[in-house]
């Protein structure tokens, strides 16, 4: 078993990779980065969740880019084909390729992070670095709520069908049915949140002041050095990009 | 060992000033980034993807969103903090439910607007920004839009404070105006970071403007001006419907609702002591 | 610092009104607690017990949650509230460290952001910046006390009802409060779970913690109390020792279950009929005095109202829990018929598939073998919403079923299509009257008490005048008034000619109120 990565190490690595990819704007690098993310996802056994999630996000985005820039790119010079107002240009296709691979790499890298990280470790690490505890709460509570809400919505739907609600085809009928499902859901969620707030206040969550953490997250010095290096590298990449393409006409 | 007090005093003013400064800094970062991007947008994107603009857009907008969160989050009462996950879940779940009706809109801000109506503009802005950041856990492409989401929450809260949710026909109008502003602010992200839009339908509209020779930013801004106001008008209407369907004990537990008389016809039967 | 100090808590309420409401939920009420004592606050659903408990524990705060006139006194510190802006503001964290509250729904106590039982227990200590070594010791000590030492690494979401309740109590007592307020601590617990909580309360009292019990049943735990306070309509109507108050008119009027006192309640119903979530506290059935089974109405002409022929069913693999084996068949070859006017109770251990059986009646679940017939016609392929015209099904959680703005609109929902515009409102009002909710037509359903919400859900079913009435654990959460209204409504529906099927684990209730009692074990139904 591999030693566990500190959540910040993983986060820093993901963010630096995304920043460097964006700054470099070089599609072979983007492709390499995406492949590396896929490789790591397979190694860590999370590919089964990362890849479908990425596909849902990236498929419409990449198709949209291809249609948009592949067919309509007024700045393009090298016309490969033409149908009416649509012109396929080499520059447009290149632009779609650049942006598509860049977004793909960033999405894969971040999804790898979120599916591989241990959320309790992340929340604990965030709280230990002076990040307001409310942030960790929102993150972890959302992850607990999502599956619970799906179950509850199912229960509501069953209860309402039992009361004779037949959802017909047609927009108005479906919107009406939707309103009836939303009201009990929203009401229950807000009521539950109200009592949870009282409980959290009673347990000292709302009080200012220092906190301690029960969960211990190991942070070896090697990982700290790696984070510093990754951040420096990302900063250098950004600086290089800014120097290289500081727009003309803006005083620097 | 001294016992902590059983009672607390009202919060002081000094902390409030620091918080206000952070809020202003956050808003300024977002505004400055937007202006900078519009002024310096690459004349000829054919020279390569707008990497510089993408970095500026990402950095500026994220910095603004983070400053707003840092300013607002620690002073939000717990009763509001627990609503942020609820808002986020509602954004996702209600967005998906609405999507199942086949309407061509995103409708992914219902929860944010509802919380803004109940808890005010600061809570709305924090909810918008935070829900983008947390949701990026599952979909990293929403992260760059955190500033736009914060703006939507903030404007919804301002509309509620101004009484626009007391009359039913004002809610969609407030949503329409919010949609214009939010669409314009988010357009540079779509243009420079993603180079287009995430949907095929919206992509087609952008294509049409591009075919007429618009720059990418102009085309995406125009597309946003077509889709977003309508979308937000619907979102505000649904949020208003939900707010009015809630029982009074639930809505009146929020000081913001009581203080600014956000919802019509819901004054207590007897004057408060 | 020791847990035992001479602390006493006293609350005196002139009036407490939630924001946005005209009438106070509590008025003219006072309660005081001494160290090591057990005080029971008894009252029906909606009597204001939970509000009182939350006010005492700082969960509801003056000015913040509502307008409060009265006073709170803790350990010599007296706080006077006049409902003015310069009233003292309670520090909830510090107040709750000394006066802890455990809500009726134990899940509401949990932070929902901690991954293990141990971390959940430590949450309150982390927020008070307790050093980690002290935290480890406190967690170990508390876990031993609440009997969860073996479960420290479990995800709180996977705990059973009884374990969850004890975890919630543990979260409250880890800070060693002087006073612990428990809201319906035995609700939804089986006999074993209830006994564990009772033992926990005894051991806490032994170390000097003053315990306040909020309950709508004068059960065995309440019988151990040194002092009873009866709450009715937000006002204290009687106070004294259990001996003085047992069988008093005030207790009866308040809707408390088991009004004849703890002496005659006897041991809890045991055996397979009592288990799992949704079981009333021990002895609750003793208070449900029904008119006894009604004579079966003459079977109407035509087929049985509901027939199951050789129904078999098994759940597939649970998609939410990958890795669990495909479950065994829940129902095997179930044959069963209910005539018009007949009342049938189905009992069985928790997890036997009682609710699964009920969901087959209207097609929410479809049998993998066999056939379900309603009024002689097979429902195979008929949408649930259509079957609903003939079958009224009442679920356990009324909040999922209610969605309208007012009680009257709720009861009238969907009636127009069935009876026409002219009759719809009359039918709705009649159904509300049948469950004793006549005066509440314009109230928001969510503002009713828990007991009334269940009755409203029942009224929405009754208003449709279905041929079959199927009720899932109808007695859970009802106070005595509610139980009486339920019984009257069921008897009347049967007299009208409806077939009634109740699923309940409450064997005593089933025997008292049904013509026939069937038991579901190993997926088969048998008459007992």
């Amino acid at each position: 078993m591999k030693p566990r990565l500190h959540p910040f190490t993983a986060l820093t690595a993901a963010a630096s990779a995304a920043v460097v990819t964006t700054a470099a704007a070089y599609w072979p690098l983007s492709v390499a980065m995406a492949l590396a993310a896929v490789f790591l996802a397979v190694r860590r056994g999370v590919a089964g969740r990362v890849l479908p999630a990425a596909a849902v996000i990236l498929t419409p985005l990449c198709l949209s880019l291809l249609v948009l820039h592949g067919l309509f790119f007024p700045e393009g010079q090298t016309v490969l084909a033409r149908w009416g107002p649509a012109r396929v240009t080499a520059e447009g296709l290149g632009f779609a390729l650049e942006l598509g691979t860049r977004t793909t790499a960033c999405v894969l890298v971040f999804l790898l992070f979120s599916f591989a990280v241990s959320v309790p470790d992340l929340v604990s690490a965030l709280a230990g670095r002076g990040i307001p505890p409310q942030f960790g709460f929102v993150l972890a509570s959302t992850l607990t709520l999502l599956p619970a809400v799906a179950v509850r919505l199912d229960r509501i739907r069953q209860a309402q069908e039992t009361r004779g609600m037949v959802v017909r085809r047609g927009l108005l009928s479906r919107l009406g049915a939707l309103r009836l499902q939303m009201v009990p859901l929203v009401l229950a969620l807000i009521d539950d949140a109200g009592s949870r707030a009282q409980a959290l206040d009673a347990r000292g969550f709302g009080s200012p002041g220092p906190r301690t953490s029960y969960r211990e997250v190991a942070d070896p010095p090697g990982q700290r050095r790696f984070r510093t290096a990754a951040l420096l590298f990302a900063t250098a990449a950004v600086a290089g990009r800014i120097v290289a393409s500081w727009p003309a006409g803006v005083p620097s | 060992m001294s016992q902590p007090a059983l009672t607390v005093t009202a919060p002081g003013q000094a902390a409030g000033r620091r918080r206000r400064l952070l809020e202003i800094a956050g808003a300024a970062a977002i505004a400055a980034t937007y202006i900078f991007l519009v002024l310096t947008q690459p004349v000829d994107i054919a020279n390569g993807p707008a990497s510089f603009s993408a970095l500026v857009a990402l950095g500026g907008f994220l910095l603004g969103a983070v400053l707003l969160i840092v300013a607002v989050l620690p002073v939000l009462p717990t009763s509001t903090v627990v609503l942020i996950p609820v808002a986020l879940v509602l954004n996702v779940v209600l967005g998906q439910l609405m999507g199942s009706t086949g309407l061509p809109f995103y409708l992914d801000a219902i929860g944010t607007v509802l919380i803004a109506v109940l808890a005010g503009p600061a809570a709305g802005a924090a909810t918008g920004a935070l829900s983008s950041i947390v949701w990026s856990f599952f979909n990293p492409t929403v992260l760059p839009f955190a500033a736009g989401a914060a703006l939507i929450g903030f404007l919804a809260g301002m509309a509620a404070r101004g009484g626009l949710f007391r009359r039913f026909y004002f809610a969609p109008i407030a949503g329409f105006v919010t949609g214009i502003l939010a669409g314009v602010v988010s357009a540079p992200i779509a243009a420079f970071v993603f180079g287009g839009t995430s949907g095929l339908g919206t992509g087609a509209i952008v294509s049409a403007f591009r075919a007429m020779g618009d720059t990418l930013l102009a085309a995406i801004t125009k597309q946003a001006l077509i889709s977003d106001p309508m979308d937000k008008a619907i979102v505000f209407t649904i949020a208003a419907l939900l707010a009015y369907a809630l029982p009074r004990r639930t809505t009146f537990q929020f000081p913001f609702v009581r203080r600014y008389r956000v919802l019509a016809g819901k004054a207590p039967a007897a004057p408060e002591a | 610092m020791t847990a035992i100090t001479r602390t006493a808590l006293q609350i005196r309420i002139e009036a407490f009104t939630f924001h946005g409401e005209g009438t106070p939920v509590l008025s003219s009420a006072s309660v005081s607690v001494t160290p090591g004592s057990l005080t029971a606050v008894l009252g029906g659903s909606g009597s204001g017990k939970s509000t009182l408990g939350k006010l005492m524990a700082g969960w509801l705060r003056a000015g913040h949650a509502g307008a409060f006139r009265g006073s709170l006194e803790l350990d010599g510190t007296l706080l006077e509230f006049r409902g003015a802006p310069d009233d003292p503001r309670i520090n909830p964290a510090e107040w709750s460290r000394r006066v802890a509250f455990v809500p009726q729904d134990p899940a509401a106590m949990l932070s929902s952001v901690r991954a293990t039982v141990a971390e959940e227990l430590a949450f309150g200590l982390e927020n008070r910046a307790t050093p980690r070594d002290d935290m480890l010791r406190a967690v170990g000590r508390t876990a031993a006390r609440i009997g969860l030492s073996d479960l420290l690494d479990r995800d709180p979401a996977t705990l059973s009802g009884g374990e969850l309740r004890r975890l919630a109590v543990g979260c409250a007592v880890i800070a060693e409060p002087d006073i612990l307020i428990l809201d319906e601590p035995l609700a939804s617990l089986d006999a074993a779970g209830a006994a564990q909580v009772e033992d926990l309360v005894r051991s806490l009292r032994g170390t000097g913690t003053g315990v306040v019990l909020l309950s709508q049943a004068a059960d065995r735990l309440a019988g151990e109390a040194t002092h009873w306070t009866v709450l009715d309509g937000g006002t204290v109507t009687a106070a004294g020792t259990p001996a003085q108050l047992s069988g008093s008119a005030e207790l009866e009027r308040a809707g408390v279950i088991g009004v004849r006192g703890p002496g005659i309640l006897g041991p809890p119903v045991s055996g397979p009929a009592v288990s799992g979530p949704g079981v009333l506290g021990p002895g609750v059935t003793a208070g449900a005095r029904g008119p006894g089974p009604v004579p079966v109405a003459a079977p109407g002409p035509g087929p049985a109202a509901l027939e199951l022929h050789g129904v078999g069913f098994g759940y597939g693999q649970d998609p939410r829990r990958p890795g669990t084996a495909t479950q065994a068949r829940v129902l095997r070859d179930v044959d069963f018929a209910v005539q018009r006017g007949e009342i049938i109770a189905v009992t069985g251990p928790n997890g036997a598939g009682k609710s699964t059986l009920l969901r087959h009646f209207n097609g929410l679940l479809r049998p993998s073998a066999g056939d379900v017939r309603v009024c002689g016609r097979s429902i195979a392929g008929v949408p649930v919403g259509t079957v609903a015209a003939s079958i009224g099904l009442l679920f356990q959680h009324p909040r999922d079923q209610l969605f309208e703005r007012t009680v009257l609109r709720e009861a009238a929902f969907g009636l127009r299509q069935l009876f026409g515009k002219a009759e719809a409102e009359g039918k709705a009002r009649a159904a509300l009257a049948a469950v004793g909710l006549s005066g509440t037509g314009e109230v928001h359903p969510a503002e009713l008490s828990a007991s009334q919400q269940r009755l409203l859900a029942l009224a929405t079913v009754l208003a449709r005048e279905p041929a079959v009435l199927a009720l899932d654990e109808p007695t859970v959460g009802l106070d005595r008034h509610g139980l009486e209204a339920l019984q009257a409504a069921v008897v009347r529906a049967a007299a009208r000619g409806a077939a009634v099927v109740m699923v309940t684990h409450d064997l005593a209730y089933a025997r008292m109120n049904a013509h026939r009692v069937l038991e579901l074990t190993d997926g088969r139904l048998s008459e007992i």
Side-chain angles (χ1 to χ4, degrees):
Chain A
M1 183 171 162
K2 293 194 303 175
R4 280 220 316 205
L5 279 186
H6 187 273
F8 284 170
T9 310
L11 180 59
T12 313
S16 305
V19 167
V20 170
T21 312
T22 305
Y26 178 58
W27 71 263
L29 177 68
S30 302
V31 170
M33 206 62 97
L35 288 177
V38 171
F39 173 73
L40 282 175
V42 172
R43 277 274 301 273
R44 296 207 53 125
V46 291
R49 289 151 71 211
V50 169
L51 294 180
V56 167
I57 300 163
L58 291 172
T59 312
L61 189 91
C62 291
L63 279 178
S64 176
L65 282 177
L66 198 64
V67 171
L68 174 56
H69 301 299
L71 296 180
F72 305 95
F73 201 75
E75 292 86 352
Q77 304 292 326
T78 324
V79 179
L80 302 176
R82 184 194 296 265
W83 301 278
R87 301 185 310 148
V88 180
T89 62
E91 289 83 355
L93 288 175
F95 190 80
L97 176 71
E98 282 287 359
L99 281 165
T101 51
R102 185 172 89 187
T103 309
T104 303
C106 292
V107 164
L108 281 169
V109 159
F110 276 115
L111 281 180
L112 171 64
F113 161 74
S114 37
F115 284 114
V117 78
S118 147
V119 175
D121 280 354
L122 177 63
V123 169
S124 170
L126 286 171
R129 296 302 159 89
I131 311 275
Q134 287 91 341
F135 182 81
F137 173 83
V138 170
L139 175 65
S141 184
T142 305
L143 299 181
T144 329
L145 265 183
L146 268 174
V149 163
V151 171
R152 179 161 232 150
L153 207 57
D154 202 43
R155 255 181 16 212
I156 291 175
R157 200 172 293 143
Q158 286 197 359
Q160 298 191 343
E161 282 184 11
T162 301
R163 282 187 60 186
M165 197 176 68
V166 183
V167 183
R168 288 179 201 83
R169 296 243 290 268
L171 191 62
L172 276 182
S173 163
R174 290 170 75 169
L175 280 178
L178 207 56
R179 180 183 77 87
L180 299 183
Q181 283 173 16
M182 281 179 182
V183 169
L185 179 71
V186 172
L187 182 56
L189 283 176
I190 291 187
D191 268 0
D192 286 356
S195 44
R196 188 166 307 122
Q198 294 169 349
L200 289 171
D201 269 338
R203 298 175 73 191
F205 179 71
S207 326
R211 277 150 220 258
T212 48
S213 176
Y214 184 87
R215 178 180 277 262
E216 274 191 328
V217 186
D219 190 7
Q223 292 195 20
R224 265 181 253 174
R225 281 195 294 276
F226 168 78
R227 290 206 295 270
T228 316
L231 284 177
L232 282 175
F233 185 53
T235 315
V238 171
R241 169 55 61 187
I242 288 179
V243 170
S245 33
W246 186 261
V250 178
S252 52
Chain B
M1 171 175 164
S2 71
Q3 290 277 332
L6 285 170
T7 55
V8 289
T9 49
Q13 292 299 309
R17 199 171 307 127
R18 194 179 143 259
R19 187 189 133 207
R20 190 46 45 101
L21 279 176
L22 280 170
E23 278 172 19
I24 293 170
I30 294 170
T33 308
Y34 179 74
I35 294 168
F36 183 84
L37 286 172
V38 173
L39 289 182
T40 67
Q41 63 168 304
V43 186
D44 188 8
I45 57 172
N47 292 337
S51 187
F52 169 75
S53 304
L55 288 172
V56 171
L58 276 174
F61 281 172
L62 273 182
L63 175 71
V66 167
L67 282 175
L68 283 175
I69 290 173
V70 169
V72 174
L73 199 53
V75 292
L76 281 183
T78 308
S79 53
T80 308
V81 174
V82 295
L83 284 177
I84 298 178
V86 170
L88 175 48
V89 168
L90 288 178
N91 283 348
V92 176
V93 172
L94 297 189
Q96 273 174 2
L97 277 178
M98 294 303 296
S100 71
T101 61
L103 288 174
F105 298 105
Y106 337 106
L107 308 180
D108 55 359
I110 299 174
T112 304
V113 173
L114 183 66
I115 299 319
V117 169
L118 295 176
T127 305
L130 262 180
S131 50
S132 295
I133 290 177
V134 172
W135 189 236
S136 68
F137 228 71
F138 304 97
N139 183 350
T141 59
V142 303
L143 181 65
F145 294 105
L151 183 67
I152 292 168
F154 177 77
L155 291 176
M158 292 309 283
R161 181 191 275 192
L164 292 181
F165 281 84
R166 262 177 250 152
R167 290 270 179 281
F168 212 78
Y169 43 85
F170 279 145
I173 297 174
F176 198 87
V177 176
T178 303
I180 293 176
L181 290 168
V184 166
V185 165
S186 299
I189 292 285
F192 300 134
V193 179
F194 297 112
T197 58
S198 58
L200 283 173
T202 41
I205 302 178
V206 179
S207 303
F209 285 115
R210 290 285 280 159
M212 295 177 214
D214 277 334
T215 65
L216 189 58
L217 179 60
I220 288 180
T221 306
K222 285 178 184 172
Q223 174 268 323
L225 286 178
I226 290 175
S227 330
D228 283 30
M230 201 57 204
D231 179 61
K232 293 302 172 290
I234 297 174
V235 165
F236 273 51
T237 309
I238 295 172
L241 276 173
L242 287 174
Y244 278 99
L246 295 177
R248 193 158 61 192
R249 187 181 291 186
T250 303
T251 47
F252 265 67
Q253 74 188 10
F254 297 100
F256 177 74
V257 173
R258 298 200 300 273
R259 185 160 166 211
Y260 295 101
R261 210 166 65 77
V262 168
L263 303 173
K266 291 218 164 187
E272 280 175 47
Chain C
M1 205 167 72
T2 62
I4 308 165
T5 48
R6 303 303 312 165
T7 307
L9 172 71
Q10 186 173 34
I11 186 168
R12 194 178 46 75
I13 300 169
E14 279 173 46
F16 177 77
T17 314
F18 278 112
H19 287 307
E21 288 178 22
T23 46
V25 275
L26 287 170
S27 56
S28 315
S30 65
V31 174
S32 56
V33 191
T34 49
S37 68
L38 174 63
T39 307
V41 177
L42 301 172
S45 187
S47 61
K49 297 186 303 291
S50 299
T51 309
L52 175 68
K54 288 182 168 185
L55 265 177
M56 290 167 79
W59 278 43
L60 290 174
R61 307 201 290 284
H64 187 264
F68 179 36
R69 278 183 290 119
S71 68
L72 268 168
E73 186 177 351
L74 175 61
D75 198 14
T77 309
L78 176 69
L79 303 176
E80 296 267 8
F81 300 92
R82 274 174 246 94
D86 60 340
D87 274 349
R89 291 156 184 263
I90 286 179
N91 175 356
E94 188 48 30
W95 191 277
S96 296
R97 198 182 62 71
R98 299 164 69 177
V99 185
F101 178 79
V102 180
Q104 185 172 353
D105 173 13
M109 185 77 185
L110 306 187
S111 67
S112 79
V113 296
R114 288 295 182 258
T116 66
V117 168
E119 288 174 63
E120 185 64 57
L121 281 171
F123 180 76
L125 303 178
E126 291 177 331
N127 290 329
R128 297 184 173 96
T130 312
R132 188 156 185 278
D133 291 340
D134 294 354
M135 235 173 347
L136 288 172
R137 272 195 299 277
V139 167
R141 195 169 54 230
T142 308
R145 206 170 192 186
I146 58 175
L148 293 183
S149 297
D150 296 336
L151 304 178
L152 279 177
D153 291 326
R154 278 268 290 278
D155 178 352
T158 63
L159 295 182
S160 75
E163 290 159 353
L164 199 60
R165 173 85 52 184
R166 281 180 281 142
L167 173 58
V169 175
C171 292
V173 300
I174 197 165
E176 314 224 322
D178 305 316
I179 289 161
L180 176 66
I181 303 173
L182 301 169
D183 193 357
E184 298 282 3
L186 306 183
S188 311
L189 292 191
D190 57 21
Q196 280 170 317
V197 172
E198 287 174 14
D199 286 343
L200 178 56
V201 169
R202 282 183 208 112
S203 97
L204 288 168
R205 286 182 65 193
T207 57
T209 311
V211 179
V212 180
L213 172 71
L214 312 172
S215 173
Q216 60 183 12
D219 49 23
R220 191 168 59 195
L221 187 55
E224 295 175 16
T226 39
H227 190 86
W228 279 8
T229 300
V230 181
L231 202 59
D232 189 4
T235 304
V236 171
T237 55
T241 62
Q244 289 168 332
L245 290 182
S246 303
S248 66
E250 286 85 1
L251 213 50
E252 178 129 358
R253 261 204 306 276
V256 176
I257 298 169
V259 287
R260 281 157 299 174
I264 65 142
L265 290 175
V269 184
S270 57
V274 176
S275 63
V279 180
L280 285 170
V284 157
T285 47
R289 296 163 305 165
V294 285
V296 183
L306 176 70
E307 295 163 89
L308 271 64
H309 292 294
V311 165
F313 180 77
Y315 285 101
Q317 192 175 354
D318 188 343
R320 286 184 301 276
R321 279 185 227 157
T324 50
T326 305
Q327 283 173 323
R329 301 194 71 70
V330 183
L331 302 176
R332 305 156 194 264
D333 203 19
V334 172
D335 277 306
F336 153 70
V338 201
Q339 304 300 323
R340 291 161 49 95
E342 203 179 9
I343 305 176
I344 290 196
V346 176
T347 68
N350 185 38
K354 301 191 295 289
S355 296
T356 304
L357 175 67
L358 213 61
R359 281 170 165 73
H360 278 83
F361 293 176
N362 67 350
L364 278 175
L365 292 174
R366 303 287 179 174
S368 48
D371 190 24
V372 178
R373 292 170 169 272
V374 175
C375 300
R377 275 201 300 276
S378 171
I379 64 164
V382 183
V384 177
T386 311
V387 183
S390 311
I391 295 234
L393 207 155
L394 181 68
F395 284 111
Q396 285 192 44
H397 301 281
R399 287 213 303 193
D400 296 342
Q401 267 165 299
L402 307 178
F403 41 74
E404 281 285 5
R405 276 199 305 276
T406 69
V407 167
L408 185 61
R409 287 174 66 110
E410 193 76 65
F413 174 80
L415 292 188
R416 276 190 192 178
Q417 290 96 306
L418 287 179
F419 302 112
K421 205 171 181 176
E423 266 191 274
E425 188 171 325
K427 295 269 186 197
R429 287 193 189 279
L432 288 177
V435 297
L437 288 177
S438 295
T440 60
E442 294 308 310
V443 179
H444 195 295
E447 286 172 352
L448 296 176
S449 72
S451 192
Q452 287 174 321
Q453 285 186 12
R454 283 198 69 106
L455 292 174
L456 173 59
L458 176 64
T460 63
V461 174
L462 290 174
R464 305 172 66 85
E465 299 185 349
V468 182
L469 195 59
L471 311 173
D472 197 356
E473 302 288 0
T475 59
V476 169
L478 291 184
D479 60 11
R480 202 172 53 77
H481 300 320
L483 284 173
E484 285 168 5
L486 167 74
Q487 267 157 345
V490 165
V491 168
R492 204 171 307 132
R496 174 175 61 74
V500 182
V501 184
M502 309 187 267
V503 155
T504 177
H505 49 259
D506 192 339
L507 188 58
Y509 180 88
R511 287 205 186 285
M512 211 182 311
N513 297 288
H515 299 122
R516 281 195 288 152
V517 180
L518 304 176
E519 191 180 23
L520 185 65
T521 35
D522 299 328
R524 291 172 206 282
L525 269 182
S526 53
E527 203 135 342
I528 56 170

